[in-house]
Amino acid sequence: MSTYTPVRPVATPTDLVQLSKLVAEPESILADPPLAAPNAGGGGVGALLLGLGLLLSPPTPREPRK
């Protein structure tokens, strides 16, 4: 049979000061996400929709065989 003994970590005042410095430190400029830049042609989505339209369009009718 095992017994559960709760354990709490003990933080010293110097540990708390170091932790508060890390939390309060501002993010660097390099951590910013990249900004969206529009394409020069802008045809990426348009070409995709055109290709999808061609796939979903009905085939051309054929003459029945005799």
Side-chain angles (χ1 to χ4, degrees), residues 30-47:
L30 297 176
D32 290 340
L35 299 175
N39 295 353
V45 175

Side-chain angles (χ1 to χ4, degrees), residues 8-66:
R8 279 185 86 162
V10 177
T12 62
T14 56
D15 292 338
L16 293 175
V17 169
Q18 288 177 352
L19 181 62
S20 64
K21 284 181 182 178
L22 290 175
V23 171
E25 187 175 315
E27 291 186 15
S28 66
I29 296 172
L30 297 176
D32 290 340
L35 299 175
N39 295 353
V45 175
L48 180 65
L49 290 175
L50 178 63
L52 185 61
L54 290 175
L55 287 174
L56 296 177
S57 63
T60 56
R62 296 184 183 184
E63 293 186 23
R65 293 186 182 180
K66 294 185 181 182

